[in-house]
Amino acid sequence: AQSVTQPDIHITVSEGASLELRCNYSYGATPYLFWYVQSPGQGLQLLLKYFSGDTLVQGIKGFEAEFKRSQSSFNLRKPSVHWSDAAEYFCAVGAPGGGADGLTFGKGTHLIIQP
Amino acid sequence: EAGVVQSPRYKIIEKKQPVAFWCNPISGHNTLYWYLQNLGQGPELLIRYENEEAVDDSQLPKDRFSAERLKGVDSTLKIQPAELGDSAVYLCASSLAGREASWSAQYFGPGTRLLVL
């Protein structure tokens, strides 16, 4: 069974600084990969997804993520964070071949933005 | 385009009482999911529907939880009786994916926050 590890429970970044959130997955093949963001009291919003092709994917709100097969990682990045980026970020994987299977989520990283 | 709609947004009940959550997926999305999210955790799948068929309910605690999607559109998740440990956020998601279709991203509703006293 696949699993997802988000090593950082909390990350604090100054407004305007760059951001990288880590995600490592465990799966026998290349999974489908997703990043979601959840603001307090809200559902999950899809930031970006990787199915195949270019390993650097662009998402909404200025986010990007890079798939690195050799490291089993799919880290999320943003060059300059805004106070509105403060939220919970979840990495998730889906199994290829299970086209509609449920996703497996990490435990999330709580992003705090310092003024 | 309207997103996934869930109601109620918040529910407070006493233990042993029944409770029901409703979800209306994005129009045209044939696959519907119910997830459970405990505090400080990522969502965990409870049940997945393709149209009106429950194709994966292996994680649904069937002694007290039930779900239905009678016409293949909106869905109801029920707990009877509720226990203190059921306090969590119940998320509904939908997608275009299916057994005959390629992968499609899942889109989530705002969730129902349940508190059992």
Side-chain angles (χ1 to χ4, degrees), chain A residues 32 36 38 41 99-101 103, chain B residues 9 33 35 37 48 97 103 106:
Chain A
Y32 296 136
Y36 286 86
Q38 186 176 36
D101 286 355
L103 298 175
Chain B
R9 291 293 310 276
Y33 312 77
Y35 286 85
Q37 185 178 23
R48 169 168 65 91
W103 256 92
Q106 295 177 24

Side-chain angles (χ1 to χ4, degrees), chain B residues 42-94:
Chain B
E44 299 174 5
L45 182 70
L46 287 173
I47 189 169
R48 169 168 65 91
Y49 281 92
E50 288 184 20
N51 301 305
E52 65 277 4
E53 181 183 0
V55 295
D56 182 0
D57 63 355
S58 57
Q59 302 303 312
L60 189 72
K62 299 181 183 63
D63 56 336
R64 296 184 301 107
F65 287 66
S66 64
E68 61 183 14
R69 194 185 185 199
L70 293 175
K71 296 183 179 180
V73 179
D74 55 352
S75 175
T76 303
L77 178 69
K78 299 178 181 177
I79 308 175
Q80 182 170 13
E83 297 179 352
L84 296 177
D86 296 331
S87 295
V89 176
Y90 292 82
L91 294 164
C92 180
S94 70

Side-chain angles (χ1 to χ4, degrees), chain B residues 11-21 36 38 61-65 78-90 113-117:
Chain B
K11 189 73 176 179
I12 301 174
I13 61 172
E14 294 186 346
K15 63 181 181 182
K16 300 185 182 180
Q17 294 299 306
V19 65
F21 315 125
L36 165 69
N38 287 305
K62 299 181 183 63
D63 56 336
R64 296 184 301 107
F65 287 66
K78 299 178 181 177
I79 308 175
Q80 182 170 13
E83 297 179 352
L84 296 177
D86 296 331
S87 295
V89 176
Y90 292 82
R113 189 173 298 271
L114 174 66
L115 179 60
V116 182
L117 302 175

Side-chain angles (χ1 to χ4, degrees), chain A residues 24-25 27-31 33 50-53 55 66-74:
Chain A
N24 293 97
Y25 66 89
Y27 186 67
T30 301
L33 297 158
Y50 173 77
F51 287 174
S52 64
T55 56
E66 185 172 12
F67 168 60
K68 292 185 176 180
R69 184 192 307 272
S70 61
Q71 299 177 17
S72 297
S73 69
F74 188 57

